[in-house]
Amino acid sequence: MIIQKTSNSRIGEFDPENIGFGTAFIDHMIVCEYENGKWGEVRLMPYGPLPFTPAMMGVNYGQACFEGMKAYKDKDGEVYLFRPEKNFERINKSAKRLAMPEITEEMFIGGLKALVDMDRNWIPYGEGKSLYIRPLIFATEEALKARIANKYMFAIVATPVQSYYTEPVSVKISDFYSRAASGGVGSAKAAGNYAASFYPTKLAAEEGYEQIIWTDDATHKYFEESGTMNVFVRINDTIYTPPTSEKILDGVTRDSFLQLAKHRGIDVKVEPVEVAKVLEAHSKEELIEVWGVGTAVVTSVFKAIGYKDQKLTLPELSEEESFALTLKKALVDIQTNKAEDPFGWRVKVEKHILETA
């Protein structure tokens, strides 16, 4: 790894008590370029602009994917990643689906640890605070040809964050737009998936909803995801969530919630979730809670669900009554080293002295 430490740190401008989400970036970034059929050397370098043109193929043809993950700081100042091997596996799955070169574990895990170690002072400590990390791969070849590119970049950037949603939100069940289609790229974290979701979400916002519950493209009868999150439904004391597929992202937080729920003896069913079943459960007062999970939000509790002309209000639950909030606390306590980690998910980032190369 080539290491170039910044000579102009911006850490003095960072206020850990006044954090937005995704707008302030740490001092350094990881960059590695692919050309002539192979990846070059990984570089840890000062964060900043890179020389690209509007003819870059990633912009024109959408060969771009990314991951979302976090680093956490405990009360003693130690720093931890959370299940990074899952993000490594998934970024390569995405790259393969988009016909991009896969990266090595050394590039991904080694790059993560070096970057987080170098800029560990940027990681805020406190309730809901963390360092959000964005590894990404995108085509960089300068050519206007609709084909697989020959040049790519792997990069990692990071930004200090606090909680994404702090209050329960209202969501609208989509009966027209879909997030992904059979045979498409729904199981990949393709950049274009997010661009395609913005317009339907804008329409829902005009009706007073913060997010959408996406339904299947063929019939719109089944839940798939919610916004950029996996979705969970609690009917009585059973949790339901759709199985992952070529249309549904295999979320790391989703998998963690499922394992935590089973570990606590909660009844969990991974099966198709019918819109009609959810509506019927609400009419019988058996729909207890619905929520979304993902790296950025951890957990987003829904206070109301819209469907066509209906708006269904959900019960207000205490943390002790809510499966969503109970599981969120259990997960965050593991991530921030406040609780034992029986699953081996927490990965400590050791302190090293990184010399400028």
Side-chain angles (χ1 to χ4, degrees), residues 221-240:
K221 292 181 178 179
Y222 297 93
F223 280 22
E224 290 197 335
E225 293 190 13
S226 179
T228 58
M229 304 173 286
N230 293 113
V231 64
F232 285 77
V233 174
R234 175 184 171 187
I235 297 175
N236 292 321
D237 284 334
T238 300
I239 293 175
Y240 297 85

Side-chain angles (χ1 to χ4, degrees), residues 197-236:
S197 73
F198 295 155
Y199 179 68
T201 304
K202 175 178 177 289
L203 297 180
E206 290 170 358
E207 297 182 48
Y209 296 95
E210 285 89 356
Q211 274 294 356
I212 288 176
I213 292 181
W214 303 105
T215 52
D216 69 288
D217 63 298
T219 68
H220 297 288
K221 292 181 178 179
Y222 297 93
F223 280 22
E224 290 197 335
E225 293 190 13
S226 179
T228 58
M229 304 173 286
N230 293 113
V231 64
F232 285 77
V233 174
R234 175 184 171 187
I235 297 175
N236 292 321

Side-chain angles (χ1 to χ4, degrees), residues 83 86 230 232 250-262 293 345:
R83 306 188 73 181
K86 299 290 287 184
N230 293 113
F232 285 77
D250 186 7
V252 178
T253 308
R254 172 190 178 276
D255 180 71
S256 304
F257 259 67
L258 289 174
Q259 292 196 51
L260 282 167
K262 293 173 183 177
V293 302
W345 289 338

Side-chain angles (χ1 to χ4, degrees), residues 253-274:
T253 308
R254 172 190 178 276
D255 180 71
S256 304
F257 259 67
L258 289 174
Q259 292 196 51
L260 282 167
K262 293 173 183 177
H263 186 70
R264 289 169 170 262
I266 298 173
D267 187 26
V268 176
K269 292 187 178 180
V270 179
E271 63 185 37
V273 178
E274 291 187 68

Side-chain angles (χ1 to χ4, degrees), residues 22 89 107 141 163 196 199 217 220 231 266 276 289 307 327 333-334 344 350 352:
E89 292 168 4
M107 289 169 62
E141 183 180 355
S163 298
Y199 179 68
D217 63 298
H220 297 288
V231 64
I266 298 173
E289 52 187 332
Y307 183 66
L327 294 172
D333 282 353
I334 290 175
E350 301 292 347
H352 298 285

Side-chain angles (χ1 to χ4, degrees), residues 34-37 39 55-64 94-102 137-152:
Y34 180 93
E35 189 174 1
N36 298 323
W39 287 105
M56 183 174 73
M57 290 179 72
V59 172
N60 288 276
Y61 303 110
Q63 273 189 295
S94 298
K96 183 177 181 180
R97 178 61 183 83
L98 295 172
M100 298 194 293
E102 297 180 32
I137 305 172
F138 53 97
T140 58
E141 183 180 355
E142 184 181 15
L144 297 183
K145 297 180 180 180
R147 58 161 170 78
I148 296 172
N150 293 313
K151 296 180 181 180
Y152 298 88

Side-chain angles (χ1 to χ4, degrees), residues 1-2 36 56 132-133 148 167 175 194 216 220 232 301 309 321 343 356:
M1 181 182 293
I2 299 172
N36 298 323
M56 183 174 73
Y132 183 81
I133 307 169
I148 296 172
E167 299 294 334
D175 59 358
Y194 297 81
D216 69 288
H220 297 288
F232 285 77
V301 176
D309 295 328
E321 297 170 320
F343 307 98
T356 302

